[in-house]
Amino acid sequence: MATAATAIDTDFIREAVLAADLDAVRIALYHNSRDEAVGALPPLARMSEADKALLVDKAVDWLTHNASDAELPEPPEPDLRQLMTMVTGREMTDIEFEARRDLAAFRPFPCAAEWQGEKPEIPEGFRVAIIGSGPAGIVAGVQMELLGIPYVLLERQGEAGGTWTINRYPDVRVDTPSITYEYSFEKLYAWTEHFNRGEAVREYLQHVSRKYGVMANSRFNHDVKGAVFDEARDVWALDVATPEGAQTIEANVVITACGTFANAQLPDIDGVGSFEGRIVHPSAWPQDLDLTGKRVAVIGNGSTGVQLLSAVAQKAAHVSVVQRTPQWISPREKYGAPIEPGVAWLYANLPGYWNWSRYTATAGLFEIHNLQRVDRDWQAQGGKVSKANDDLRAFLTDYIRKETGGREDLIAKLIPDYAPMSRRPVVDNGWYRALTRDNVDLLAGSVARFTKEGFVMADGTVCEADVVITATGFDVLKYLWPARYQGLDGQDLHETWDAGDGPRAYLSLMMPGFPNFFMLYGPNSQPLTGGTGLPQWWLIWASYAAQCTMRMLQDGKSRVDVKPEAFYRYNNELDDEAQNWLQMTAEGGIEKNYYVNREHRRLQVNAPWLSPDYHRMCTVVDWDDLEMS
Ligand SMILES: Cc1cc2nc3c(=O)[nH]c(=O)nc-3n(C[C@H](O)[C@H](O)[C@H](O)COP(=O)(O)OP(=O)(O)OC[C@H]3O[C@@H](n4cnc5c(N)ncnc54)[C@H](O)[C@@H]3O)c2cc1C
């Protein structure tokens, strides 16, 4: 439907285009107009000033006459491929096209499992139990709604939202663009900031849960303590703590969506019990905590510690920041900024602009693996890791210098001795600048012991504090903890993992001997090379579990398990592949990396595959690897 665009002032439109993502404007404009002069423009990074001026003029002119709130359908495949190629200027392989085509989200439910042919009759009483109401559990619920498979979602918290319900510390927000932290089936949400606050993400997730019927099938304050597989009936019996007391809930299939960041890592430091002040983990932030005029210590400089420091420092009388290991902390364009009225107008009135903005926001990560490989030839010439990685190191080192105003005392402590891109990138939220405030000190090193008044650092520095914020992260090796799952022959999931070399899975999703059991965001799940964003993965993993469930129903089977040989083959290949990555090298700081299971020196959190390869593995089920009975 055309809107009264002519009534819109062209100055406003020009301002909107100038504030916009010009690459997304370029593709959306070409998508709509097929203007060859626009089609011939290079990606923004290579555009001259004259190219930019031409693009802006063309966009303003087109919008003045054609602005519309129409939603574009997905273009035919060759067109789509051409438009996608225009973003990067690089041809894609077929497997890359397959993995990326849905980033632009023209199709609402890409990768979602659908019944082929007639839906089979679902046996009386058949149901799926989903554990966890974070973004993964909600999408698993949506997938079951689409298929009409009965399910119940069990959540230990009092409301939906997962991470975004649990973490309510100052200035909590996404550090990946909101437009990419959005489900493809519920798009164009009225975000107000480019990187939204936790509260807004929580509201979005609750809105999705309500709208798609998941909320109605959710039971809150239901904490799954464990589950036992009844081999005689092929049914899981879940032991659930509820406000009404312990309950047993039965399900034919269990999908765990418990999150990787469910168990806070609390510092186990001598004397911690003797401290008379308050110790606060960000994931249990007391909403009545008033830091005004307090002496505060923040232990940790990971994503959370960095995100909250500025806000804390503006309130507290004094803040001591404890940094055990320096981090590479990088700026993000428009981080903390509101969405400009012009850009909001473009989302609504330049058809395809939202889609292509989402695509371009992710496209920057397509080649990220080039930053994560060690180039031995480059090293032989005196380089540290590779040209690309060393260039990034130089850029980030300059950034530290600039943000600290050249304070050599700080700079010496802040520059890491390992390569960037080997840990999760930490986004700067004014952290370096906060360190230059009069009321903030940086303490480099480890806390040796707590005292009544505060703590003592390993180098003897004494720090007195009223409140200690332990931004020490999460115990990411404790998958599905503390619930216990008992599969075939009475084997316990955690004991099985402990007897080996830590948590493992087939495709991150399944464990042999634990039939009808799927883990979303399980061991070795987070794609190392990015490129598609987690919301896409939640749907892919949920659809894998759904495809297995559908096959059981279609074939009249009651059990699906991964074959042990497929599990071992997959994990051997995974270990081999992991060796190629920076994370697993001394240059990548293997000893300090939470992606790595340091006890067993193996990659733990990430899938080491290139994103398109992993996408193929998870979307095209290899039935030969599974056994059904
Ligand atoms: C502070 C923070 C910021 C993040 N920011 C980003 C970001 O900007 N971009 C990005 O891509 N990723 C980010 N992540 C990572 C990831 O996107 C989120 O953690 C995301 O919420 C994970 O979704 P999930 O559904 O898998 O798990 P969660 O959101 O953790 O939800 C799991 C749910 O399961 C429930 N649960 C667990 N065990 C049980 C049980 N036994 N019984 C009942 N319920 C149970 C929990 O209470 C929780 O509600 C962030 C993570 C954290 C911790």
Side-chain angles (χ1 to χ4, degrees):
M1 182 182 72
T3 55
T6 41
I8 305 256
D9 176 353
T10 49
D11 288 344
F12 173 81
I13 298 180
R14 182 169 293 277
E15 211 175 291
V17 173
L18 287 170
D21 167 357
L22 280 185
D23 261 332
V25 170
R26 174 174 63 93
I27 314 295
L29 187 57
Y30 181 70
H31 189 165
N32 284 288
S33 68
R34 301 292 156 163
D35 179 336
E36 287 310 329
V38 175
L41 289 169
L44 186 61
R46 288 191 268 121
M47 256 189 224
S48 65
E49 287 308 311
D51 288 339
K52 274 188 214 162
L54 173 80
L55 174 62
V56 172
D57 287 348
K58 291 258 182 198
V60 173
D61 182 54
W62 189 89
L63 281 161
T64 305
H65 301 101
N66 301 289
S68 138
D69 62 3
E71 270 197 43
L72 296 180
E74 185 177 56
E77 236 175 77
D79 286 0
L80 179 62
R81 196 167 177 140
Q82 184 207 0
L83 291 161
M84 287 161 65
T85 304
M86 280 174 64
V87 173
T88 55
R90 185 179 79 72
E91 286 297 328
M92 265 172 296
T93 60
D94 290 346
I95 200 168
E96 285 171 338
F97 173 67
E98 205 179 282
R100 292 171 187 163
R101 63 179 296 171
D102 292 313
L103 288 179
F106 288 106
R107 301 189 294 177
F109 292 101
C111 321
E114 291 171 15
W115 296 110
Q116 301 299 324
E118 215 168 295
K119 178 179 164 189
E121 187 136 337
I122 298 186
E124 179 81 28
F126 184 97
R127 80 164 151 197
V128 172
I130 300 167
I131 306 175
S133 185
I138 291 173
V139 90
V142 172
Q143 170 69 89
M144 292 304 142
E145 291 283 341
L146 291 175
L147 295 169
I149 296 179
Y151 69 96
V152 61
L153 189 153
L154 306 167
E155 167 58 57
R156 68 156 80 102
Q157 301 288 329
E159 57 178 319
T163 286
W164 308 100
T165 294
I166 297 161
N167 290 275
R168 298 181 186 225
Y169 56 82
D171 218 16
V172 55
R173 59 172 75 234
V174 284
D175 58 14
T176 51
S178 286
I179 197 166
T180 65
Y181 204 81
E182 199 171 16
Y183 299 120
S184 45
F185 57 86
E186 189 58 27
K187 53 197 178 199
L188 273 163
Y189 188 70
W191 302 114
T192 54
E193 297 184 44
H194 289 282
F195 293 80
N196 266 290
R197 289 167 194 275
E199 194 182 347
V201 181
R202 181 165 72 246
E203 278 166 12
Y204 170 75
L205 293 170
Q206 295 185 355
H207 155 75
V208 172
S209 180
R210 255 191 313 275
K211 177 168 169 184
Y212 291 87
V214 181
M215 197 73 96
N217 285 299
S218 301
R219 297 190 199 164
F220 297 104
N221 301 307
H222 277 53
D223 189 358
V224 177
K225 298 293 184 190
V228 176
F229 189 68
D230 177 345
E231 299 187 33
R233 296 165 55 231
D234 287 348
V235 165
W236 283 96
L238 288 83
D239 167 19
V240 188
T242 80
E244 287 77 44
Q247 282 182 18
T248 302
I249 294 179
E250 289 197 336
N252 304 73
V253 172
V254 169
I255 301 178
T256 66
C258 302
T260 298
F261 307 98
N263 294 294
Q265 182 129 276
L266 300 168
D268 181 18
I269 298 172
D270 263 5
V272 69
S274 65
F275 178 53
E276 290 182 347
R278 205 162 173 181
I279 296 187
V280 173
H281 191 277
S283 64
W285 193 269
Q287 293 308 294
D288 61 350
L289 182 63
D290 182 6
L291 296 176
T292 312
K294 297 263 179 359
R295 295 167 307 164
V296 179
V298 179
I299 304 182
N301 57 335
S303 297
T304 295
V306 167
Q307 201 162 50
L308 56 72
L309 178 65
S310 270
V312 167
Q314 280 164 38
K315 288 236 156 147
H318 187 270
V319 187
S320 301
V321 177
V322 177
Q323 170 195 271
R324 191 173 57 179
T325 309
Q327 295 270 9
W328 290 109
I329 301 172
S330 42
R332 284 281 182 291
E333 206 183 333
K334 298 198 177 179
Y335 188 78
I339 294 180
E340 305 82 345
V343 171
W345 183 83
L346 281 178
Y347 284 143
N349 291 285
L350 172 53
Y353 175 67
W354 179 89
N355 306 77
W356 292 112
S357 296
R358 182 171 155 102
Y359 192 90
T360 56
T362 316
L365 302 174
F366 290 171
E367 309 298 327
I368 205 169
H369 51 274
N370 291 332
L371 288 164
Q372 294 172 312
R373 302 269 198 193
V374 178
D375 178 346
R376 299 288 168 208
D377 293 339
W378 177 256
Q379 286 184 324
Q381 296 163 40
K384 285 188 186 301
V385 175
S386 66
K387 165 133 182 36
N389 192 286
D390 288 5
D391 285 351
L392 179 63
R393 186 191 295 248
F395 167 78
L396 293 175
T397 305
D398 281 351
Y399 181 69
I400 295 173
R401 292 190 183 287
K402 186 167 84 47
E403 291 299 294
T404 53
R407 283 260 309 266
E408 291 301 335
D409 58 320
L410 287 174
I411 293 166
K413 294 178 186 165
L414 290 172
I415 299 178
D417 62 1
Y418 58 90
M421 294 310 295
S422 46
R423 301 171 131 207
R424 184 180 195 270
V426 177
V427 174
D428 192 16
N429 190 20
W431 190 77
Y432 290 121
R433 288 200 183 179
L435 293 181
T436 65
R437 291 173 63 105
D438 289 342
N439 67 336
V440 178
D441 283 337
L442 177 65
L443 307 178
S446 303
V447 175
R449 62 190 158 82
F450 271 88
T451 61
K452 254 168 53 176
E453 299 82 16
F455 52 83
V456 182
M457 298 288 292
D459 67 4
T461 308
V462 172
C463 177
E464 293 189 352
D466 305 307
V467 180
V468 174
I469 300 169
T470 53
T472 40
F474 300 88
D475 193 342
V476 294
L477 300 190
K478 286 204 157 71
Y479 287 94
L480 314 188
W481 187 258
R484 308 306 294 240
Y485 297 91
Q486 193 179 304
L488 299 180
D489 304 321
Q491 65 172 316
D492 176 277
L493 183 63
H494 290 102
E495 282 173 11
T496 307
W497 280 339
D498 289 347
D501 56 3
R504 284 191 181 265
Y506 167 76
L507 297 178
S508 79
L509 289 159
M510 296 176 84
M511 267 293 287
F514 293 82
N516 307 357
F517 186 82
F518 301 90
M519 297 171 272
L520 310 189
Y521 213 178
N524 291 106
S525 58
Q526 189 161 286
L528 193 56
T529 61
T532 22
L534 276 172
Q536 176 103 330
W537 284 105
W538 291 315
L539 185 53
I540 290 169
W541 293 322
S543 112
Y544 185 97
Q547 288 185 63
C548 293
T549 308
M550 290 158 76
R551 184 77 175 253
M552 270 167 50
L553 289 165
Q554 275 163 328
D555 293 359
K557 308 283 189 196
S558 55
R559 193 188 279 197
V560 58
D561 203 350
V562 58
K563 292 177 185 163
E565 59 269 28
F567 168 85
Y568 288 114
R569 188 204 66 233
Y570 177 81
N571 276 280
N572 288 338
E573 288 171 7
L574 183 144
D575 287 345
D576 286 349
E577 185 63 26
Q579 295 311 315
N580 297 323
W581 296 97
L582 186 56
Q583 283 70 15
M584 298 301 292
T585 64
E587 293 91 337
I590 180 169
E591 301 302 341
K592 301 165 186 164
N593 199 331
Y594 85 80
Y595 286 163
V596 174
N597 181 330
R598 289 187 290 274
E599 186 187 345
H600 298 289
R601 295 185 78 80
R602 54 174 302 266
L603 192 65
Q604 178 67 84
V605 174
N606 307 97
W609 321 110
L610 291 182
S611 242
D613 294 330
Y614 186 48
H615 183 274
R616 168 73 65 85
M617 292 178 215
C618 294
T619 48
V620 182
V621 179
D622 186 342
W623 296 106
D624 289 341
D625 283 354
L626 308 182
E627 52 195 1
M628 322 262 314
S629 56

